[in-house]
Amino acid sequence: MNRALLITAALLALAGCGRKGTLKPAPGQSAPPTAYGMSAPATTDQALKPPPDAGPERIDDVIKRPEQERHDDPFDLPPPSARR
């Protein structure tokens, strides 16, 4: 009996997670202000799209191919506790 009740409660809670609809401000609240420089508020898709600099590509790796050997780095030192 307890197990069936627990499963039913879990399924009901999960069913509420998949609900989709337009987002609206809470009653008595207003929408966030328009960002500086924009003529209209951002749409949901625009607001959720990360800016181009959010995931920059790595360009500091000097090894272009895996078959190249890495040179010793004199500044790649172990932690101070391991140097003794």
Side-chain angles (χ1 to χ4, degrees):
M1 180 70 179
N2 269 346
R3 187 174 183 175
L5 186 60
L6 183 63
I7 291 173
T8 304
L11 288 175
L12 285 174
L14 244 154
C17 293
R19 192 174 121 200
K20 290 184 178 181
T22 58
L23 296 176
K24 298 176 186 168
Q29 301 289 323
S30 63
T34 304
Y36 180 77
M38 292 187 71
S39 59
T43 64
T44 307
D45 291 334
Q46 291 171 336
L48 293 176
K49 183 179 177 187
D53 58 350
E57 292 182 25
R58 183 174 177 161
I59 57 171
D60 60 345
D61 195 4
V62 294
I63 304 270
K64 301 295 182 204
R65 294 176 302 200
E67 42 299 330
Q68 289 180 327
E69 283 190 34
R70 291 194 178 268
H71 303 289
D72 286 336
D73 185 2
F75 298 104
D76 187 19
L77 301 173
S81 59
R83 282 193 233 162
R84 297 179 189 194

